[in-house]
Amino acid sequence: MNMDVTASSPALAMRHEAFAQRRQLLEQQLHSDTRHWWRQALEQLASQPSANTLVLLSAQCPRRLGDTPVPQAPGWNLAQLARAVLLGQLLEQQGAAGQLPLLRQLFLWGDDQEKCVLLKVLDDLDNQGRSLELALQAGRTNNREVFAAIALDNPFVARHYQGRAFHQLLLKTLGMGLDCGRIAGLEQRRSVDLNQLALEHMEEQLAAGRSVNDSLPRAIAFELLSPAQLQRLRGFCQQQRLPAHWLGHFPPGT
């Protein structure tokens, strides 16, 4: 496998302290056998800092470390933490011009679980948003788990998605049945325009006889709805086409 990267691009702005904290947290969970393998893995990557080495070590993480959840890091297990730390170490050792091309290669070559880890730490790998196109590419997947890794609880979205890209992410999140309230920055984006987008989506779902995502009200600024829009929503609730809990979001006195 040859994954040498020769293209040139600006360096990524990484949050090195975030990866140091992940490493510390991981190593607190290891016992003697797994700690020995982990130290060898770090040494191997340090002496052979290549994408090929990372791919080899990343493939070993689930077998060596397992999927034991890490209580101090909800949503993470040991293998995922190890993969994140190894990824960060390799990029730190990479020359500035090769970091972004390498990141793109690793995403392309990774399996679904490796893609998820990369996306979950993307904001710490690239806090200036140079990898936005990679994130947008990830969002086109039909794999629910990979999509959730970029769409939910991911500060990269809040920092770097604008306008149409954010709206498309919201609609796909709803369409996949995920909780749109977990989209980072959604509360700050709520507006008259986003209300219109959300209501149009709701109308399309109802017209097609499909259920409406339970989290959709979290995308709506109810205080910015017009009287006509509120009346229409109230009518859908009375007809039991929308759940009654929608009424709880109405501004007092409306």
Side-chain angles (χ1 to χ4, degrees):
M1 184 189 305
N2 186 352
M3 296 177 62
D4 289 338
V5 178
T6 58
S8 177
S9 67
L12 297 176
M14 296 178 60
R15 293 190 179 90
H16 302 286
E17 71 284 355
F19 290 95
Q21 290 169 2
R22 289 187 179 97
R23 177 174 173 175
Q24 181 180 28
L25 179 59
L26 170 66
E27 292 177 351
Q28 290 171 351
Q29 317 296 317
L30 302 180
H31 54 73
S32 57
D33 291 341
T34 54
R35 187 175 292 107
H36 178 69
W37 174 83
W38 174 242
R39 288 174 178 169
Q40 286 186 322
L42 292 174
E43 292 170 1
Q44 184 176 349
L45 188 60
S47 63
Q48 303 172 37
S50 70
N52 287 330
T53 305
L54 178 67
V55 169
L56 175 65
L57 294 172
S58 179
Q60 296 177 28
C61 286
R63 175 168 55 87
R64 294 285 189 169
L65 302 178
D67 59 359
T68 302
V70 180
Q72 301 92 327
W76 287 86
N77 61 42
L78 292 179
Q80 290 170 330
L81 270 183
R83 282 172 161 171
V85 173
L86 293 171
L87 176 60
Q89 177 175 315
L90 177 59
L91 286 168
E92 287 173 347
Q93 294 177 263
Q94 182 73 23
Q99 286 179 327
L100 182 54
L102 175 60
L103 188 62
R104 290 170 176 157
Q105 283 280 17
L106 293 171
F107 181 78
L108 178 66
W109 284 77
D111 61 24
D112 289 341
Q113 293 302 312
E114 289 165 332
K115 284 181 168 66
C116 287
V117 169
L118 186 154
L119 293 171
K120 288 171 71 172
V121 298
L122 190 58
D123 192 58
D124 288 332
L125 293 170
D126 172 28
N127 65 37
Q128 292 183 348
R130 298 188 186 279
S131 58
L132 177 59
E133 184 53 45
L134 184 155
L136 295 174
Q137 175 188 347
R140 299 184 189 109
T141 182
N142 290 323
N143 182 296
R144 197 169 186 264
E145 190 172 6
V146 174
F147 178 77
I150 187 62
L152 305 184
D153 307 315
N154 197 322
F156 190 90
V157 170
R159 294 179 190 275
H160 305 297
Y161 276 50
Q162 302 299 324
R164 183 180 179 186
F166 188 87
H167 291 170
Q168 289 178 333
L169 184 86
L170 170 64
L171 291 176
K172 187 161 184 176
T173 301
L174 293 168
M176 284 196 161
L178 299 169
D179 181 359
C180 74
R182 291 176 59 191
I183 298 176
L186 176 62
E187 185 174 352
Q188 292 73 29
R189 305 290 186 102
R190 289 190 296 199
S191 64
V192 171
D193 290 341
L194 196 60
N195 280 356
Q196 186 61 35
L197 183 77
L199 293 177
E200 287 174 357
H201 173 79
M202 178 205 70
E203 296 265 10
E204 290 171 1
Q205 294 296 103
L206 293 176
R210 295 190 289 265
S211 60
V212 176
N213 188 309
D214 278 344
S215 70
L216 181 55
R218 301 183 69 179
I220 298 174
F222 280 81
E223 70 278 6
L224 298 180
L225 292 174
S226 69
Q229 290 172 325
L230 288 168
Q231 183 177 4
R232 185 160 178 77
L233 288 178
R234 191 180 298 278
F236 283 138
C237 292
Q238 291 171 346
Q239 298 163 23
Q240 297 185 340
R241 300 180 67 189
L242 289 175
H245 71 76
W246 277 67
L247 293 173
H249 296 276
F250 280 42
T254 60

